[in-house]
Amino acid sequence: MIPSAFEYHRPASLAEATQLLASSEDAKILSGGHSLLPMMKLRLANPSVVIDIGRLDELRGIQEAGAAIIIGANVTHYEAETSAVLQQQCPILSETAAAIGDVQVRNAGTIGGSVAHADPSADWPAAMLAVNAEITLSKAGGTRTVSATDFFIDLLMTVMEEDEILTSIRVNANPPRTGGTYLKVPQPASGFALAGVAAQVTLGSDHTIQQVAVGITGVDNKAFRASATETALQGQAATEAAISQAAAQATDGADALEDIHASAEYRLHLARVYTKRALLQAVERAQNG
C-alpha cells in the first residue's frame, strides 16, 4: 500500500528536531525507517508530519565515558555488532545486534529506533533490560534519563512523551568475571523472536552469583525482567541444578502472546528453556572472562 500524505522535514540539528516535534501535531520521528515505514505503508500509522533525524551526526557514535558506554540513537545494528568498544566492554550488545533480521536490516535499522518502537518481539529490549541500560530522552525543554526497567510499558508503548526523542543509551562496561549472552528462537520469515532471552551474570571469587539480570522478549506484550529467576539465583552457587530450578520461574506472571506463529503455551515453554540455556552460557563466559 501507499502511505497517507504527510509533511517531511529533515532538521540539521537535534535542537531543530525537538523544536519541530514540539510545534507539530501528530508527528513521528524517522531514523532508520525499519519500524515506522512498514507501518505507514500498511496505514497502521498515519502521521501528518515525519521528522527525519537519521542524518544527525550528533546522534551517532559509540563512546567510552569512564566506566560507562554511550551509544547514540542513530547507531545502526551493524555498527553495534562490529563495535570494538562493545565487543570488549559489553559483548552481549554486539551479540544481540548480530541476531537482528538480516544484513540489509542491520545496515539501515538503528538501535534508538528499535528501542523507541518497543515491538514486543524485538531483540534490543531484552538486552537493554539485561544490562540495566539508561535511556536518554530529549525535548525542546531539556532532557531526562529513564532506566530500561521503567521504559517499556505495553505493546508498542513506552514512557516517551509525544514531544520527546530518544537520543542515546548508556550502559556500564562489564566488571570482572561477568558474562552475558542473547539467545532466541526466530520467526523464520521476519527474524523477530518467538522467544528471546538476554542473560548477564557476574560471579564472585567463590563462584556464587553476585549479580544476575534476565530480559525476555517475544513472549508478553512487552519485554520484561525474569525477576523470580533473578531472585532465586542471587547469592547462590552457579550450578546447573540451581540455574535449572530458577529458570523454571522465568515466566512467572507473564501474559503470553498467542498468534499464527506460536501458541501462548509454546512461547512460555521456549522462554523457560532458553532462560536456562542463556544463563548456563553466561556463567561459562563469566568463568572464562
Side-chain angles (χ1 to χ4, degrees):
M1 293 180 66
I2 299 174
S4 301
F6 59 89
E7 291 182 19
Y8 174 81
H9 297 275
R10 195 175 79 187
S13 67
L14 176 61
E16 183 183 350
T18 56
Q19 289 291 344
L20 277 169
L21 188 58
S23 61
S24 303
E25 291 187 7
D26 191 27
K28 290 291 185 182
I29 295 295
L30 174 68
S31 181
H34 279 262
S35 298
L36 178 61
L37 294 183
M39 294 186 69
M40 290 176 64
K41 287 181 178 180
L42 293 172
R43 300 206 177 188
L44 297 174
N46 296 291
S48 58
V49 176
V50 172
I51 302 170
D52 185 353
I53 64 170
R55 294 174 177 84
L56 295 183
D57 288 339
E58 59 192 297
L59 301 184
R60 292 195 175 279
I62 299 172
Q63 311 292 335
E64 292 184 84
I69 303 165
I70 309 299
I71 306 168
N74 278 347
V75 167
T76 66
H77 310 315
Y78 178 74
E79 289 169 339
E81 176 186 356
T82 57
S83 165
V85 172
L86 291 181
Q87 289 172 353
Q88 295 167 9
Q89 303 295 337
C90 194
I92 188 175
L93 297 186
S94 291
E95 186 170 314
T96 301
I100 295 173
D102 53 31
V103 173
Q104 291 90 341
V105 169
R106 292 195 294 275
N107 273 292
T110 63
I111 186 170
S114 177
V115 172
H117 186 56
D119 190 295
S121 298
D123 303 296
W124 279 125
M128 294 296 104
L129 292 171
V131 299
N132 295 305
E134 294 182 340
I135 298 165
T136 299
L137 307 174
S138 299
K139 62 180 181 179
T143 64
R144 65 179 176 128
T145 300
V146 180
S147 68
T149 52
D150 297 327
F151 184 75
F152 303 104
I153 296 177
D154 206 337
L155 180 72
L156 305 179
M157 293 179 60
T158 72
V159 298
M160 288 179 62
E161 298 176 358
E162 291 185 357
D163 59 348
E164 288 182 320
I165 299 173
L166 193 159
T167 51
S168 66
I169 296 166
R170 178 188 178 99
V171 300
N172 290 323
N174 285 355
R177 293 179 61 79
T178 295
T181 192
Y182 177 67
L183 302 175
K184 72 172 178 178
V185 179
Q187 198 281 327
S190 67
F192 280 105
L194 295 178
V197 179
Q200 186 100 311
V201 174
T202 300
L203 299 177
S205 58
D206 58 354
H207 195 59
T208 58
I209 296 174
Q210 299 301 302
Q211 295 181 37
V212 57
V214 179
I216 298 178
T217 190
V219 175
D220 208 325
N221 276 339
K222 65 173 183 176
F224 62 93
R225 287 275 292 268
S227 55
T229 296
E230 296 171 357
T231 300
L233 286 175
Q234 191 69 40
Q236 300 298 311
T239 64
E240 183 172 353
I243 289 171
S244 180
Q245 185 174 2
Q249 305 173 60
T251 56
D252 286 5
D255 185 11
L257 298 167
E258 185 159 0
D259 54 28
I260 61 172
H261 303 300
S263 67
E265 182 180 4
Y266 184 53
R267 278 191 165 92
L268 294 171
H269 171 73
L270 288 176
R272 292 188 291 266
V273 169
Y274 274 73
T275 295
K276 177 181 176 180
R277 293 181 184 179
L279 284 166
L280 287 172
Q281 190 170 110
V283 166
E284 181 181 359
R285 291 178 174 179
Q287 292 169 339
N288 297 328

